Amino acid sequence: MTTALDRTRALLNTPPPEPIPGQLDLTRSDMTELDTILTAGLHWLYETEQPNDAWLHRGLLLTAPTANRLYGFIPANDWKRVVVAVDVAKIEWIDNGPNDLKTPANPLGVGELDALAAALRALGFEVTSTWNGHPQTTGSVGLTRTAHPSLLAAVDRYHAGCLVHPKSSVFCDCDAWRDGFNRIVQPELAAATTP
């Protein structure tokens, strides 16, 4: 435990490296943007009551345009764990020559996923693990606290499929099925969208 605390303190006290264009700059207003996004997303995950006739496929996606990031708030992954994800919103690619392989020119920054995990811990959320991150274009942080019961129920209703057209399951395109997605209560943040 002491080693983890020392590492977190060192991360918070270490000035970030010079950002590569397109990466999150931890010294600019990007951090204010991140604070706003985390506040809205975590409130949505844990405090927002959802209607009992709404369903949710995946989670909430909030954009941080200044930082070129998308933040996902997923109430339950395959292991019933809450996940906060960060993705590069607009990936720029480096051509590696005659083959079809390309490398992202603007991956997540070194230490960016650790900084997100530290920010979540600073807000009082216990982090179970992180995965991906630099040099990838996506990273995830698992949290121990379960999402609001009404949000988890909305995910369960999605998995149950369309009640009007049971044979169509989750692939239904009827008005009743689409309306259930529209009933999810969104956070009070203009950049919010549900994927």
Side-chain angles (χ1 to χ4, degrees):
M1 184 71 157
T2 304
T3 305
L5 286 174
D6 291 342
R7 184 167 185 256
T8 301
R9 284 188 189 108
L11 277 172
L12 293 174
N13 291 329
T14 303
E18 284 295 314
I20 297 169
Q23 288 187 345
L24 183 67
D25 183 349
L26 300 175
T27 62
R28 290 193 338 223
S29 63
D30 297 351
M31 289 311 289
T32 303
E33 195 172 44
L34 178 59
D35 289 343
T36 301
I37 286 171
L38 288 180
T39 299
L42 293 167
H43 184 270
W44 179 79
L45 274 172
Y46 294 112
E47 308 295 328
T48 304
E49 181 81 28
Q50 297 294 337
N52 61 6
D53 61 349
W55 35 86
L56 180 71
H57 170 244
R58 183 80 173 133
L60 175 73
L61 190 63
L62 300 175
T63 61
T66 303
N68 188 32
R69 295 295 183 262
L70 301 172
Y71 289 89
F73 296 86
I74 303 157
N77 68 1
D78 293 341
W79 303 282
K80 303 296 182 196
R81 176 186 299 160
V82 168
V83 175
V84 177
V86 56
D87 299 292
V88 175
K90 184 178 178 188
I91 302 170
E92 297 169 12
W93 297 99
I94 297 170
D95 189 350
N96 291 325
N99 60 34
D100 291 333
L101 299 175
K102 293 186 177 184
T103 304
N106 58 339
L108 295 181
V110 175
E112 184 174 344
L113 190 59
D114 289 334
L116 176 59
L120 290 163
R121 284 186 191 99
L123 292 170
F125 294 91
E126 186 178 340
V127 172
T128 60
S129 60
T130 62
W131 54 100
N132 296 328
H134 182 79
Q136 305 299 321
T137 58
T138 186
S140 300
V141 180
L143 302 178
T144 57
R145 184 175 163 198
T146 57
H148 194 283
S150 66
L151 191 56
L152 293 174
V155 172
D156 289 342
R157 283 190 292 275
Y158 166 79
H159 288 293
C162 181
L163 299 177
V164 178
H165 305 101
K167 288 183 180 179
S168 297
S169 183
V170 298
F171 303 107
C172 195
D173 195 31
C174 74
D175 289 340
W177 183 244
R178 284 192 305 270
D179 289 346
F181 293 106
N182 295 331
R183 288 189 284 268
I184 285 290
V185 177
Q186 300 290 326
E188 295 182 25
L189 187 64
T193 60
T194 52

mmCIF file of all heavy atoms in Angstrom, residues 9 37 43 46 85 94 96 117 125 179 190 194:
data_model
loop_
_atom_site.group_PDB
_atom_site.id
_atom_site.type_symbol
_atom_site.label_atom_id
_atom_site.label_comp_id
_atom_site.label_asym_id
_atom_site.label_seq_id
_atom_site.Cartn_x
_atom_site.Cartn_y
_atom_site.Cartn_z
ATOM 1 N N ARG A 9 1.812 9.797 -5.270
ATOM 2 C CA ARG A 9 2.339 11.111 -4.887
ATOM 3 C C ARG A 9 3.404 11.578 -5.881
ATOM 4 O O ARG A 9 3.446 12.738 -6.273
ATOM 5 C CB ARG A 9 2.923 11.051 -3.479
ATOM 6 C CG ARG A 9 1.874 11.026 -2.400
ATOM 7 C CD ARG A 9 2.521 11.168 -1.014
ATOM 8 N NE ARG A 9 1.523 10.924 -0.003
ATOM 9 C CZ ARG A 9 1.478 9.832 0.754
ATOM 10 N NH1 ARG A 9 2.404 8.900 0.637
ATOM 11 N NH2 ARG A 9 0.524 9.670 1.637
ATOM 12 N N ILE A 37 -15.798 16.925 -16.785
ATOM 13 C CA ILE A 37 -16.272 15.659 -17.359
ATOM 14 C C ILE A 37 -16.381 14.580 -16.293
ATOM 15 O O ILE A 37 -17.376 13.852 -16.232
ATOM 16 C CB ILE A 37 -15.359 15.237 -18.526
ATOM 17 C CG1 ILE A 37 -15.658 16.126 -19.726
ATOM 18 C CG2 ILE A 37 -15.529 13.769 -18.870
ATOM 19 C CD1 ILE A 37 -14.717 15.978 -20.863
ATOM 20 N N HIS A 43 -21.300 11.549 -11.501
ATOM 21 C CA HIS A 43 -22.633 11.834 -10.965
ATOM 22 C C HIS A 43 -23.675 11.003 -11.719
ATOM 23 O O HIS A 43 -24.583 10.430 -11.118
ATOM 24 C CB HIS A 43 -22.949 13.328 -11.065
ATOM 25 C CG HIS A 43 -24.261 13.688 -10.440
ATOM 26 N ND1 HIS A 43 -25.441 13.693 -11.137
ATOM 27 C CD2 HIS A 43 -24.575 14.036 -9.167
ATOM 28 C CE1 HIS A 43 -26.434 14.027 -10.336
ATOM 29 N NE2 HIS A 43 -25.924 14.241 -9.138
ATOM 30 N N TYR A 46 -23.417 7.248 -10.599
ATOM 31 C CA TYR A 46 -23.689 6.871 -9.216
ATOM 32 C C TYR A 46 -24.877 7.575 -8.560
ATOM 33 O O TYR A 46 -25.387 7.094 -7.552
ATOM 34 C CB TYR A 46 -22.438 7.125 -8.364
ATOM 35 C CG TYR A 46 -21.292 6.224 -8.746
ATOM 36 C CD1 TYR A 46 -20.151 6.735 -9.344
ATOM 37 C CD2 TYR A 46 -21.355 4.857 -8.516
ATOM 38 C CE1 TYR A 46 -19.091 5.897 -9.695
ATOM 39 C CE2 TYR A 46 -20.311 4.018 -8.867
ATOM 40 C CZ TYR A 46 -19.187 4.544 -9.450
ATOM 41 O OH TYR A 46 -18.150 3.722 -9.804
ATOM 42 N N ALA A 85 -13.328 5.055 -19.303
ATOM 43 C CA ALA A 85 -12.395 4.880 -20.412
ATOM 44 C C ALA A 85 -12.024 6.235 -21.000
ATOM 45 O O ALA A 85 -12.813 7.178 -20.954
ATOM 46 C CB ALA A 85 -13.025 4.003 -21.484
ATOM 47 N N ILE A 94 0.516 7.474 -38.677
ATOM 48 C CA ILE A 94 1.809 7.533 -39.347
ATOM 49 C C ILE A 94 1.853 6.364 -40.321
ATOM 50 O O ILE A 94 1.596 5.221 -39.950
ATOM 51 C CB ILE A 94 2.971 7.402 -38.335
ATOM 52 C CG1 ILE A 94 2.963 8.561 -37.355
ATOM 53 C CG2 ILE A 94 4.304 7.308 -39.064
ATOM 54 C CD1 ILE A 94 3.930 8.380 -36.199
ATOM 55 N N ASN A 96 3.608 3.593 -42.236
ATOM 56 C CA ASN A 96 4.823 2.814 -41.992
ATOM 57 C C ASN A 96 5.444 2.262 -43.269
ATOM 58 O O ASN A 96 6.189 1.292 -43.239
ATOM 59 C CB ASN A 96 4.533 1.653 -41.035
ATOM 60 C CG ASN A 96 4.241 2.142 -39.646
ATOM 61 O OD1 ASN A 96 4.820 3.122 -39.201
ATOM 62 N ND2 ASN A 96 3.343 1.482 -38.949
ATOM 63 N N ALA A 117 -6.418 7.659 -13.359
ATOM 64 C CA ALA A 117 -6.657 6.814 -12.184
ATOM 65 C C ALA A 117 -6.416 7.607 -10.894
ATOM 66 O O ALA A 117 -7.189 7.497 -9.933
ATOM 67 C CB ALA A 117 -5.770 5.571 -12.234
ATOM 68 N N PHE A 125 -12.748 7.444 -5.315
ATOM 69 C CA PHE A 125 -13.143 6.189 -5.946
ATOM 70 C C PHE A 125 -11.987 5.213 -5.926
ATOM 71 O O PHE A 125 -10.865 5.552 -6.307
ATOM 72 C CB PHE A 125 -13.620 6.437 -7.385
ATOM 73 C CG PHE A 125 -14.881 7.238 -7.422
ATOM 74 C CD1 PHE A 125 -14.838 8.620 -7.499
ATOM 75 C CD2 PHE A 125 -16.109 6.611 -7.343
ATOM 76 C CE1 PHE A 125 -16.001 9.372 -7.512
ATOM 77 C CE2 PHE A 125 -17.274 7.354 -7.349
ATOM 78 C CZ PHE A 125 -17.226 8.732 -7.430
ATOM 79 N N ASP A 179 -37.409 4.384 -28.392
ATOM 80 C CA ASP A 179 -37.861 5.295 -27.335
ATOM 81 C C ASP A 179 -37.236 4.964 -25.982
ATOM 82 O O ASP A 179 -36.975 5.855 -25.175
ATOM 83 C CB ASP A 179 -39.384 5.288 -27.222
ATOM 84 C CG ASP A 179 -40.067 5.961 -28.394
ATOM 85 O OD1 ASP A 179 -39.381 6.674 -29.161
ATOM 86 O OD2 ASP A 179 -41.292 5.757 -28.563
ATOM 87 N N ALA A 190 -23.524 19.713 -22.040
ATOM 88 C CA ALA A 190 -23.932 19.806 -23.431
ATOM 89 C C ALA A 190 -23.235 18.783 -24.323
ATOM 90 O O ALA A 190 -23.768 18.395 -25.352
ATOM 91 C CB ALA A 190 -23.688 21.212 -23.961
ATOM 92 N N THR A 194 -24.986 9.343 -25.887
ATOM 93 C CA THR A 194 -24.901 7.919 -25.585
ATOM 94 C C THR A 194 -24.592 7.172 -26.862
ATOM 95 O O THR A 194 -25.245 7.409 -27.870
ATOM 96 C CB THR A 194 -26.213 7.379 -24.969
ATOM 97 O OG1 THR A 194 -27.295 7.748 -25.815
ATOM 98 C CG2 THR A 194 -26.435 7.849 -23.578
#
